[in-house]
Amino acid sequence: AQSVTQPDIHITVSEGASLELRCNYSYGATPYLFWYVQSPGQGLQLLLKYFSGDTLVQGIKGFEAEFKRSQSSFNLRKPSVHWSDAAEYFCAVVIRGTYKYIFGTGTRLKVLA
Amino acid sequence: EAQVTQNPRYLITVTGKKLTVTCSQNMNHEYMSWYRQDPGLGLRQIYYSMNVEVTDKGDVPEGYKVSRKEKRNFPLILESPSPNQTSLYFCASSVGQGSGYTFGSGTRLTVV
C-alpha cells in the first residue's frame, strides 16, 4: 500500500540553525509531492510542491525541498530557522491520475531562542 | 480573498444528536474533501467530491455523510455522533490533483 513516512515526530533546533525534515514515500511511480505547514490553531498551508523537472523546488517562507527518486524522498530544508517557523509540518503525496492524497503523520518543530 | 470557510470552529455535542459542519469555498474549485486530524495519525480522508453530485468515500467514511449540491458547498453530516468522532476536522478544496489544497481553519468537535 502507498504510504508516506515522516520518521521524526519532534525536532528541536536553535534559531538561526539549519533545518531538514525528512519525508519518504512508498509508491511505484513518482507521485506529486507536497509540504504543508500547520501553525497552532490553524489549518494547513501549502509550502511547496513538486510535479516534475528540476528536483530542487523553492517554496514560501524561505523553504526548499529536494526530490530524490533513488531514495523515494522529498526532504524539506531551510538554511536559517526563525522562531516563527515553530509549527507542525506535513509531507503529502498525490498519486498521479487520481485525487488520492496521502499525508504523513507530521513533524513538530520547536525553535529555541 | 480566496478561502475555504468552515463553521462552526468549535462544537460540543452529545452522543446521537445529528450535526452538520458546513464548508464553503469561493475559488470555483471542483475538488473538495474532508479530513479528520487526530494526534499521531496525521490527516485521514473522510470523503471527497470531484464535482457537483459526485462524491466518494475516503479512508475513514464510517459514521459520516456528505453532499455536493452546489459547487461551492460541501457539508459534512454526522447523523448520530459518537465519542470516537471527537476530532479536529478540516475541509479542503483544490483546482486540480497537482495543485495542492487550500484548507479551512478547522472545526474542533467534541462528542460527549
Side-chain angles (χ1 to χ4, degrees):
Chain A
Q2 301 91 8
S3 65
V4 176
T5 302
Q6 294 181 246
D8 304 304
I9 299 173
H10 294 98
I11 282 186
T12 300
V13 299
S14 298
E15 191 170 20
S18 63
L19 172 70
E20 182 169 30
L21 303 182
R22 296 182 290 165
C23 173
N24 292 92
Y25 64 90
S26 170
Y27 182 63
T30 300
Y32 296 118
L33 297 154
F34 304 85
W35 275 99
Y36 290 85
V37 60
Q38 184 180 28
S39 298
Q42 302 296 317
L44 282 75
Q45 181 183 20
L46 180 65
L47 281 175
L48 48 76
K49 55 191 176 186
Y50 172 79
F51 298 153
S52 63
D54 193 346
T55 56
L56 185 64
V57 295
Q58 303 297 319
I60 62 171
K61 303 177 188 268
F63 285 92
E64 66 179 26
E66 185 173 13
F67 167 60
K68 292 186 177 180
R69 185 189 309 273
S70 61
Q71 299 177 19
S72 296
S73 69
F74 189 55
N75 293 349
L76 182 71
R77 302 195 294 244
K78 187 169 185 178
S80 176
V81 171
H82 188 262
W83 64 266
S84 61
D85 293 324
E88 190 156 21
Y89 292 80
F90 292 92
C91 180
V93 305
V94 173
I95 299 166
R96 292 175 189 253
T98 78
Y99 280 93
K100 179 65 178 175
Y101 256 86
I102 303 168
F103 282 87
T105 52
T107 297
R108 187 170 296 277
L109 174 65
K110 181 177 179 180
V111 180
L112 301 177
Chain B
E1 179 188 356
Q3 60 185 356
V4 176
T5 303
Q6 290 178 234
N7 281 296
R9 288 294 307 273
Y10 302 91
L11 179 60
I12 301 174
T13 190
V14 296
T15 298
K17 185 177 181 181
K18 180 179 179 179
L19 66 91
T20 298
V21 183
T22 65
C23 173
S24 180
Q25 51 94 3
N26 62 1
M27 297 165 283
N28 203 37
H29 287 171
E30 291 188 344
Y31 185 79
M32 298 185 73
S33 187
W34 276 103
Y35 288 86
R36 61 178 289 173
Q37 184 179 23
D38 301 289
L41 297 177
L43 281 86
R44 294 179 292 168
Q45 189 176 47
I46 303 170
Y47 269 96
Y48 64 93
S49 170
M50 296 179 68
N51 213 326
V52 175
E53 303 291 2
V54 180
T55 64
D56 206 349
K57 297 177 181 178
D59 298 315
V60 289
E62 294 77 21
Y64 305 94
K65 284 177 58 177
V66 293
S67 68
R68 187 95 180 270
K69 294 183 170 54
E70 307 165 277
K71 198 171 190 178
R72 64 184 291 123
N73 296 323
F74 191 44
L76 180 69
I77 303 157
L78 285 73
E79 295 262 351
S80 182
S82 63
N84 65 11
Q85 293 178 297
T86 292
S87 187
L88 179 59
Y89 291 87
F90 287 102
C91 180
S93 72
S94 173
V95 68
Q97 61 175 235
S99 62
Y101 276 128
T102 300
F103 279 85
S105 297
T107 296
R108 185 166 292 281
L109 172 66
T110 302
V111 183
V112 298

